[in-house]
């Protein structure tokens, strides 16, 4: 790939954003794609993005292939085929370039004594009357779970004290409760990046033991392979599964398609394009409206979450192979300077304190024309009750840099407290299994404005597609990024990530603030990242990754 950003930036030199550009007067013909064609293509290929084993969109296969499952022969000659293998086994396979098939029974013929079956899974009768407490974040999917809790209690007899908390409060309370070993919360929901920290300290238990217990889990009904593959992998630590995802997202470019079309501005595909689009937008927008808004609020899961995509696109990384900090490399300084320069020239005042909800509000109120943000924004910026510009947004892959394209991956994981008694741990597993079932995920998607489900069967369900399939460019960008492009190591999954990420977040926010105050963003980036790298080295020495 040709270099999109050349050389180091020094005060007074040309940067990506310093060139004076002529506003385009028309969109390229190649960019004008009929929305009906996109919808048809995305829905046809959606199974490819949202299945656990395949990564390419479905392709029509004209020849006949014979695939043998254990004790069974299945002949397929179309794009999607369902054949009954035995009385209890059904195989469904969409043919792709690489064909994988799993003959998994979908019904349960025998249950252990004292175990009951529901449409979402099995549960033991001895857990009836068990009371558990779940601490979760206040998001759409969990509101749906809360509303449906009476169904779980009626079926299983398990009672759930459901505590919905704002994000930052949840992080603090979960950390305190787990680290002190009180056992107050039996189920905790938290950032996938904290799984290594919790697991390494023995604060949460592996879920494998519950999955393998025939009294607690029937694999045909639970169907672990139905979860988006990377959302499962990111919940693992040292080969064991500690968190089950209830929500998964990636990052996408979000832009005001009406404004871009009106002024003939190209949707950015590269970092250089991003700078050019901001310059062109500034020429045509009112002074109180901004070309772009990005996170500046400091935090491992705040500004660092978006900034990481810039860091890696410019060819930098967090550490070298020996765990020496590398954020202050020439490429890291360049990426950070560019990020801060965008906001200094084209972002709202006070961007250093913008969290995701501030960015979202700027989009909903028409104050920002573009952002790189979480793919779940769609549910709120496209809701006419919440957004003044619903129906006017477009979605695309995040811009690429010289090193490639780097969308994020993130999941909210449900975990079980190691300090809870065994019976409450088992009841907690039943709750987690129910809350992440297809039934609950589909209900949340259809009735609670929840787009970022974690099961491929839900993503392919006609009811889901009826709600979300009309946003074809979002389906394409979200699906391709999450299934194909994003790496589970987008950020380093280490037990000390919280400390490392928070220190970087402070540095990035400081650079933005000083750049918006008139300082050179590249000089400030060098100073801030050098200081942060020194502190991170101390963190890594203390954690045993480096020698003093």
């Amino acid at each position: 790939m040709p270099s999109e950003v050349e050389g180091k930036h020094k005060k007074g030199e040309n940067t990506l954003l310093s060139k004076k550009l002529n506003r385009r007067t028309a969109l390229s013909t190649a960019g004008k794609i009929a929305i009906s064609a996109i919808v048809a293509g995305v829905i046809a290929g959606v199974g490819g993005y949202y299945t656990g084993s395949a990564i390419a969109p479905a392709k029509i296969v004209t020849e006949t292939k014979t695939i043998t499952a254990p004790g069974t022969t299945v002949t397929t000659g179309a794009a999607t085929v369902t054949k009954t293998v035995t009385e209890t086994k059904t195989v469904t396979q969409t043919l792709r370039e690489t064909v994988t098939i799993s003959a998994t029974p979908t019904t349960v013929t025998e249950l252990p004594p004292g175990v009951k079956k529901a449409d979402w899974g099995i549960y033991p009768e001895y857990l009836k009357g068990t009371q558990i407490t779940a601490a979760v974040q206040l998001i759409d999917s969990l509101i749906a779970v809360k509303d449906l809790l009476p169904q779980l209690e009626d079926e299983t007899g398990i009672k759930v004290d459901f505590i919905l908390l704002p994000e930052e409060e949840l992080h603090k309370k979960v950390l305190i409760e787990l680290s002190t070993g009180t056992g107050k919360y039996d189920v905790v929901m938290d950032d996938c990046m904290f799984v290594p920290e919790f697991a390494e300290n023995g604060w949460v238990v592996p879920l494998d033991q519950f999955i393998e217990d025939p009294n607690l889990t029937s694999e045909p009904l639970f169907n672990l392979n139905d979860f988006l593959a990377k959302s499962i992998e990111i919940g693992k630590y040292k080969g064991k599964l500690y968190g089950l995802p209830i929500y998964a997202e990636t990052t996408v470019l979000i832009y005001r398609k009406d404004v871009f079309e009106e002024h003939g501005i190209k949707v950015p595909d590269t970092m250089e394009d991003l700078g050019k689009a901001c310059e062109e937008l500034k020429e045509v927008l009112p002074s109180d409206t901004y070309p772009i808004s990005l996170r500046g609020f400091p935090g491992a899961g705040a500004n660092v979450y978006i900034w990481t995509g810039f860091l890696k696109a410019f060819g930098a990384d967090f550490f070298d192979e020996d765990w020496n900090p590398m954020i202050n490399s020439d490429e890291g300084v360049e990426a950070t300077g560019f990020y801060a320069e965008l906001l200094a020239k084209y972002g709202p005042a006070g961007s250093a304190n913008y969290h995701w909800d501030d960015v979202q509000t700027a989009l909903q109120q028409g104050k920002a024309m573009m952002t790189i943000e979480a793919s779940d924004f769609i549910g709120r910026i496209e809701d006419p009750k919440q957004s003044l510009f619903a129906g006017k947004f477009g979605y695309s892959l995040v811009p690429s840099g010289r090193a490639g394209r780097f969308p994020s991956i993130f999941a909210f994981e449900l975990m079980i407290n190691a300090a809870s008694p065994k019976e409450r741990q088992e009841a907690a597993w039943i709750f987690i299994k129910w809350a992440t079932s297809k039934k609950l995920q589909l209900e949340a998607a259809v009735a609670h404005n929840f787009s970022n489900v974690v099961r491929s069967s839900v993503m392919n369900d006609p009811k889901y597609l009826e709600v979300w399939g009309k946003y074809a460019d979002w389906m394409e960008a979200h699906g391709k990024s999450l299934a194909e492009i994003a790496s589970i190591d987008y950020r380093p999954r280490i037990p000390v990530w919280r400390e490392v990420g928070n220190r970087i977040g402070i540095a990035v926010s400081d650079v933005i603030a000083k750049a918006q105050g008139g300082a050179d963003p590249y000089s400030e980036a060098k100073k801030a990242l050098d200081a942060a790298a020194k502190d991170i080295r101390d963190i890594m020495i203390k954690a045993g990754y480096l020698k003093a």
Side-chain angles (χ1 to χ4, degrees):
M1 162 182 280
S3 175
E4 287 137 8
V5 184
E6 297 292 346
K8 304 169 193 172
H9 293 282
K10 297 178 183 178
K11 194 166 185 179
E13 291 183 344
N14 286 339
T15 72
L16 284 180
L17 303 180
S18 64
K19 300 174 184 177
K20 194 69 177 176
L21 302 167
N22 293 322
R23 179 164 54 88
R24 293 173 177 80
T25 58
L27 288 172
S28 68
T29 303
K32 296 178 179 177
I33 303 173
I35 191 67
S36 58
I38 301 176
V39 172
V42 172
I43 292 179
V46 72
Y49 291 135
Y50 301 115
T51 187
S53 58
I55 60 170
K59 293 189 177 181
I60 301 298
V61 179
T62 55
E63 74 272 18
T64 298
K65 291 181 181 282
T66 301
I67 304 170
T68 304
T72 306
T73 299
V74 180
T75 302
T76 62
T80 305
V81 173
T82 303
K83 293 286 184 182
T84 302
V85 179
T86 69
E87 290 182 358
T88 62
K89 292 185 178 182
T90 300
V91 174
T92 302
Q93 179 59 34
T94 301
L95 296 184
R96 295 177 175 81
E97 293 180 60
T98 302
V99 179
T100 348
I101 194 162
S102 175
T104 305
T106 57
T107 59
V108 180
T109 54
E110 293 184 17
L111 292 172
V115 175
K116 296 286 188 179
K117 172 181 168 293
D119 56 0
W120 48 267
I122 64 170
Y123 58 92
E125 290 182 292
Y126 65 77
L127 291 177
K128 183 177 181 179
T130 305
Q131 176 128 11
I132 62 171
T133 300
V136 301
Q137 185 169 332
L138 183 61
I139 59 173
D140 298 329
S141 59
L142 273 300
I143 294 172
V145 170
K146 185 177 189 301
D147 290 347
L148 295 171
L149 271 177
Q151 293 183 16
L152 176 70
E153 295 178 1
D154 289 344
E155 282 184 316
T156 66
I158 296 171
K159 299 185 183 301
V160 183
D161 182 13
F162 207 64
I163 302 175
L164 287 165
L165 297 168
E167 182 176 7
E168 295 303 324
E169 185 178 354
L170 178 72
H171 292 333
K172 292 175 183 176
K173 287 192 172 181
V174 166
L175 180 61
I176 291 170
E177 293 301 329
L178 291 182
S179 62
T180 55
T182 64
K184 178 180 177 181
Y185 300 149
D186 303 296
V187 177
V188 295
M189 168 180 158
D190 217 330
D191 190 324
C192 59
M193 293 299 294
F194 299 151
V195 169
E197 177 186 2
F198 295 167
E200 182 69 23
N201 285 293
W203 297 339
V204 294
V205 297
L207 303 181
D208 310 80
Q209 58 187 306
F210 306 113
I211 295 173
E212 295 164 4
D213 189 332
N215 291 301
L216 299 174
T217 307
S218 169
E219 174 52 29
L221 291 172
F222 174 54
N223 196 3
L224 185 62
N225 290 331
D226 187 35
F227 286 84
L228 303 180
K230 290 179 183 178
S231 73
I232 291 295
E233 289 304 309
I234 208 166
K236 291 182 178 180
Y237 182 66
K238 294 183 177 179
K240 294 182 179 180
L241 181 65
Y242 285 88
L244 201 65
I246 195 167
Y247 164 104
E249 72 177 33
T250 183
T251 40
V252 295
L253 175 74
I254 304 173
Y255 63 97
R256 278 284 298 281
K257 61 184 178 183
D258 58 326
V259 175
F260 274 67
E261 289 171 2
E262 179 185 352
H263 297 288
I265 298 172
K266 176 187 173 183
V267 177
D269 184 58
T270 67
M271 289 294 178
E272 185 172 15
D273 291 342
L274 185 64
K276 289 178 180 178
C278 285
E279 178 67 23
E280 292 177 353
L281 285 165
K282 186 175 182 179
E283 291 178 5
V284 299
L285 293 175
S287 59
D288 63 344
T289 305
Y290 303 94
I292 194 167
S293 182
L294 298 167
R295 298 188 198 185
F297 187 83
N303 57 2
V304 176
Y305 180 59
I306 304 299
W307 168 85
T308 298
F310 286 73
L311 179 79
K312 294 199 166 188
F314 276 73
D317 211 334
F318 291 91
F319 300 99
D320 67 12
E321 61 184 12
D322 297 318
W323 296 105
N324 294 295
M326 294 293 291
I327 57 169
N328 60 331
S329 66
D330 290 347
E331 295 83 2
V333 169
E334 190 177 23
T336 307
F338 179 69
Y339 191 91
E341 189 177 15
L342 284 174
L343 293 172
K345 288 187 173 183
Y346 309 116
S351 288
N353 290 314
Y354 266 49
H355 210 328
W356 66 264
D357 51 347
D358 300 299
V359 175
Q360 177 180 277
T361 299
L363 295 177
Q364 291 170 322
Q365 296 180 352
K367 293 298 182 182
M369 297 296 105
M370 185 168 48
T371 191
I372 294 169
E373 257 300 345
S375 54
D376 84 313
F377 267 36
I378 187 172
R380 297 176 294 278
I381 63 176
E382 297 287 5
D383 182 358
K385 296 178 181 178
Q386 302 182 60
S387 174
L388 296 174
F389 296 90
K392 296 185 182 297
F393 293 99
Y395 307 86
S396 187
L397 298 175
V398 299
S400 64
R402 69 164 68 93
R405 198 183 307 273
F406 294 88
S408 73
I409 184 169
F410 172 84
F412 274 124
E413 306 285 350
L414 294 177
M415 295 168 274
I416 297 177
N417 194 341
S420 296
K422 181 182 177 183
E423 189 172 271
R424 281 173 26 207
Q425 288 185 357
E426 292 179 349
W429 170 247
I430 299 301
F431 164 77
I432 290 174
K433 193 172 58 167
W434 170 79
T436 59
S437 67
K438 177 181 178 180
K439 176 182 178 180
L440 267 289
Q441 288 267 298
L442 188 57
E443 171 73 18
V446 173
H448 291 268
N449 205 32
F450 177 57
S451 56
N452 291 48
V453 296
V454 294
R455 285 184 175 268
S456 58
S457 61
V458 177
M459 298 294 304
N460 286 285
D461 192 281
K463 293 180 180 178
Y464 179 91
L465 292 174
E466 184 178 352
V467 176
W468 301 105
K470 60 188 175 185
Y471 303 107
D473 52 352
W474 178 84
M475 294 281 286
E476 176 77 11
H478 171 76
K480 187 171 185 176
S481 296
L482 198 56
E484 291 186 19
I485 309 174
S487 166
I488 62 171
D489 295 313
Y490 174 73
R491 294 171 291 171
R493 296 184 300 128
I494 53 177
V496 290
W497 166 248
R498 190 191 305 261
E499 284 183 86
V500 170
N502 285 342
R503 180 61 185 88
I504 296 171
I506 292 169
V508 173
S509 185
D510 184 57
V511 176
I512 296 167
K514 289 179 178 176
Q516 286 201 314
D520 175 60
Y522 298 92
S523 298
E524 294 301 330
K526 174 63 175 170
K527 289 187 288 186
L529 293 179
D530 280 348
K534 181 178 181 298
D535 291 343
I536 292 167
R537 182 174 181 82
D538 291 341
I539 293 170
M540 300 304 282
I541 290 172
K542 183 178 178 182
Y545 287 86
L546 295 172
K547 292 182 179 179

